[in-house]
Amino acid sequence: MILYLHPDNPEVRKLKQISDRLKDGAIYIFPTDTVYAIIADANSKTAVEKIYSIKKLPKDKPLSLLCRDISMASHFIEYLPNSAYRFMKRVTPGPFTFVLKANKNLPKPSIAHHKDKQIGIRIPDHIYLQELLKIHDSPLTSTSAFSDDEFIIDIDDLESIYGNLVDGIIDGGIVKIELSTMIQIHDDSLELIRAGKGYELIQNDIQHLE
């Protein structure tokens, strides 16, 4: 089922309905500042397992954690150096995935099968997800929407492939295939894992956190 939100002022009533359903184990497809993503409440074991099943992902394949801001994200990070905090504050929200060691606060469904307890955190720069996270007030877990190793960028194709598998697909139009830039944050340095959208904004930071 394709759902529509106002592109500039997403309807709070609709987002509240989506939030309530997410808490009950529903899963949705949302546009992000990169590609479309399948999302679920990070605390819902049922919903997280649905994502693994739909995508046919191995259980040790990590999902990303979507957070409203750094304050929310820091609740799930074991240690965030001041330099890393300043860096994240400067570039978020944005198309970046920050890989850090998770602490015991991380929702168990999101890390149950991860041996190294690392988590990828996204603070997406998309009004639909930003407004949803304000209402939902807890992290979401996500993975990119793709089929047969191809990213799905058209809403009609998403409906054809996932329409019977998810509880709703939010129309964000046709998106570009732009993956997030992935960055491993260490105590005193940044390590580039994948150069993607936004890389040109942070390439001077990669060698060493100032």
Side-chain angles (χ1 to χ4, degrees):
M1 178 173 59
I2 298 176
L3 304 174
Y4 301 92
L5 294 170
H6 191 284
D8 300 315
N9 297 289
E11 297 85 348
V12 173
R13 175 184 58 82
K14 291 182 180 180
L15 291 172
K16 180 66 166 60
Q17 291 173 344
I18 291 171
S19 173
D20 289 342
R21 296 205 65 192
L22 285 167
K23 291 175 183 177
D24 288 336
I27 58 176
Y28 286 83
I29 294 178
F30 263 72
T32 74
D33 50 352
T34 52
V35 294
Y36 276 98
I38 306 173
I39 69 166
D41 186 306
N43 292 290
S44 173
K45 181 180 179 181
T46 299
V48 172
E49 288 180 348
K50 282 182 189 176
I51 290 182
Y52 276 101
S53 176
I54 288 172
K55 290 285 296 289
K56 297 181 174 60
L57 296 173
K59 286 297 181 69
D60 60 352
K61 171 77 172 179
L63 303 178
S64 296
L65 200 67
L66 302 182
C67 294
R68 179 184 61 248
D69 51 27
I70 300 175
S71 178
M72 176 184 280
S74 64
H75 185 64
F76 307 104
I77 299 169
E78 184 173 88
Y79 174 64
L80 184 63
N82 288 334
S83 52
Y85 172 84
R86 291 194 299 269
F87 170 72
M88 290 175 67
K89 187 174 179 61
R90 177 165 60 84
V91 301
T92 58
F96 305 101
T97 300
F98 305 101
V99 181
L100 303 109
K101 188 173 183 180
N103 63 20
K104 62 182 180 180
N105 296 323
L106 192 74
K108 286 184 172 57
S110 299
I111 202 170
H113 305 287
H114 305 182
K115 293 180 181 179
D116 60 1
K117 306 302 182 186
Q118 297 277 315
I119 189 68
I121 290 178
R122 290 267 282 120
I123 303 173
D125 187 16
H126 194 288
I127 189 170
Y128 292 169
L129 282 171
Q130 282 285 311
E131 294 302 311
L132 175 62
L133 284 162
K134 289 178 184 177
I135 293 170
H136 197 65
D137 202 30
S138 63
L140 302 168
T141 193
S142 77
T143 185
S144 301
F146 64 87
S147 178
D148 296 328
D149 295 326
E150 291 187 1
F151 290 95
I152 312 303
I153 63 173
D154 182 271
I155 193 71
D156 292 328
D157 291 337
L158 287 167
E159 170 70 8
S160 175
I161 295 168
Y162 292 111
N164 295 324
L165 301 174
V166 301
D167 296 273
I169 302 170
I170 310 303
D171 188 354
I174 296 176
V175 301
K176 295 181 180 179
I177 301 179
E178 296 180 292
L179 301 183
S180 65
T181 291
M182 294 186 66
I183 306 159
Q184 174 83 51
I185 293 183
H186 302 288
D187 287 350
D188 61 355
S189 65
L190 299 172
E191 177 186 351
L192 181 68
I193 299 175
R194 178 180 71 200
K197 185 177 180 181
Y199 173 66
E200 69 281 358
L201 301 176
I202 55 91
Q203 57 185 326
N204 292 332
D205 298 284
I206 290 301
Q207 296 302 318
H208 191 84
L209 279 172
E210 296 179 354

